[in-house]
């Protein structure tokens, strides 16, 4: 009887050891499989770095485009519209400059007008940028109401023109009368699309007129 029980116990021990060995082997296989499987990382959508649609960069690009143009590429006037620039001193003592496109002789939609002051304006103006522009409105042109506001043609009475304005601080020691002698000319870029959505751009250099108080 004791011999039978002893033999049975040996079988149980051998069976248990076999099961334990198989369990360890299976666990090791699963561990190796997990370690060899590529690690899954969260998918991150990376947005393109804003350049031309970003406010600051948009203005830098616009300034650079005007600066790189050869002087011969600037016209004294346009056959498609009338353009002009005026300056005056505000009650706060700042120099105000307005650039305006008006009296269109053709259909002009989504009009962008930009004016770049001469480099010597840095001698009298306390500013990091000499660009005057409405180019930041460009990203809103998908709105039909906004686009309509920036469209001019011979058949459209309102708006009468498209303008961009800039307000600049003078250095404390500068007088308006002296400063405007260095602000006598401005380089202007006018961009638009026609009725067929074909883009057009013209570059014009014109005198800045002094606007006297009425």
């Amino acid at each position: 009887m004791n011999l039978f029980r002893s033999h049975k116990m040996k079988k149980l021990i051998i069976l248990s050891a076999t099961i334990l060995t198989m369990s360890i082997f299976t666990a090791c296989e699963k561990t190796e499989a997990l370690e060899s499987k590529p690690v899954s990382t969260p998918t991150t959508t990376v947005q393109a770095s804003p350049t031309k649609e970003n406010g600051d960069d948009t203005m830098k690009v616009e300034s650079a485009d005007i600066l790189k143009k050869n002087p011969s590429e600037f016209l004294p006037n346009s056959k498609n519209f009338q353009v002009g620039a005026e300056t005056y001193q505000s009650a706060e003592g700042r120099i105000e400059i307005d650039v305006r496109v008006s009296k269109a002789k053709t259909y002009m939609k989504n009009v962008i007008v930009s004016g770049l002051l001469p480099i010597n304006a840095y001698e009298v103006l306390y500013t990091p940028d000499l660009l005057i522009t409405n180019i930041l409105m460009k990203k809103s042109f998908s709105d039909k109401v906004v686009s309509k506001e920036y469209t001019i043609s011979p058949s459209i009475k309102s708006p009468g023109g498209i303008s961009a304005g800039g307000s600049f601080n003078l250095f404390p020691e500068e007088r308006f009368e002296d400063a405007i002698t260095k602000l006598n000319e401005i380089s202007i870029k006018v961009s638009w699309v026609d009725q067929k959505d074909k883009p057009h751009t013209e570059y014009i250099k014109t005198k800045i007129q002094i606007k006297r108080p009425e």
Side-chain angles (χ1 to χ4, degrees):
M1 187 72 176
N2 290 336
L3 184 62
F4 175 77
R5 287 182 178 177
S6 176
H7 183 68
K8 189 175 182 179
M9 286 294 295
K10 285 181 179 180
K11 281 188 174 181
L12 287 174
I13 291 170
I14 292 170
L15 180 62
S16 299
T18 302
I19 293 172
L20 180 61
T21 302
M22 290 179 66
S23 298
I24 293 171
F25 180 76
T26 304
C28 289
E29 283 188 328
K30 287 183 179 180
T31 303
E32 288 175 359
L34 286 172
E35 288 176 347
S36 62
K37 185 179 180 180
V39 178
S40 176
T41 55
T43 301
T44 304
T45 302
V46 181
Q47 295 183 347
S49 177
T51 52
K52 293 186 179 181
E53 291 306 316
N54 175 272
D56 292 338
D57 288 342
T58 298
M59 294 180 69
K60 288 177 182 177
V61 170
E62 188 79 341
S63 295
D65 183 67
I66 297 173
L67 278 172
K68 72 181 181 183
K69 293 298 174 185
N70 191 291
S72 62
E73 295 183 72
F74 289 89
L75 304 172
N77 49 57
S78 171
K79 64 179 182 180
N80 293 307
F81 51 83
Q82 190 174 94
V83 63
E86 292 183 334
T87 184
Y88 61 94
Q89 188 172 26
S90 68
E92 294 78 19
R94 294 165 63 87
I95 282 190
E96 309 292 334
I97 300 176
D98 294 322
V99 183
R100 186 176 183 82
V101 173
S102 60
K103 296 184 179 180
K105 299 177 178 65
T106 186
Y107 181 87
M108 302 172 65
K109 183 175 75 171
N110 298 349
V111 178
I112 296 293
V113 53
S114 301
L116 191 65
L117 295 171
I119 197 71
N120 61 356
Y122 281 124
E123 298 174 11
V124 293
L125 300 181
Y126 187 76
T127 178
D129 198 337
L130 298 177
L131 185 71
I132 300 166
T133 183
N134 69 339
I135 197 170
L136 297 183
M137 291 302 302
K138 187 176 182 179
K139 53 189 171 184
S140 302
F141 285 159
S142 56
D143 186 310
K144 290 184 178 180
V145 175
V146 175
S147 182
K148 185 178 180 180
E149 291 175 356
Y150 286 84
T151 299
I152 55 177
S153 81
S155 60
I156 299 177
K157 293 184 179 180
S158 180
I162 309 296
S163 63
S167 184
F168 302 90
N169 282 319
L170 284 167
F171 284 119
E173 67 276 10
E174 294 292 337
R175 296 171 61 249
F176 175 75
E177 291 77 10
D178 297 328
I180 56 177
T181 61
K182 296 183 179 180
L183 304 173
N184 59 346
E185 194 172 56
I186 188 168
S187 301
I188 298 173
K189 174 185 175 182
V190 181
S191 303
W192 75 96
V193 295
D194 60 24
Q195 286 177 305
K196 296 181 180 179
D197 285 334
K198 181 181 178 180
H200 299 267
T201 301
E202 288 188 11
Y203 298 86
I204 296 165
K205 190 161 286 190
T206 188
K207 298 291 184 182
I208 301 177
Q209 305 297 322
I210 301 172
K211 183 179 179 181
R212 301 298 181 186
E214 297 179 356

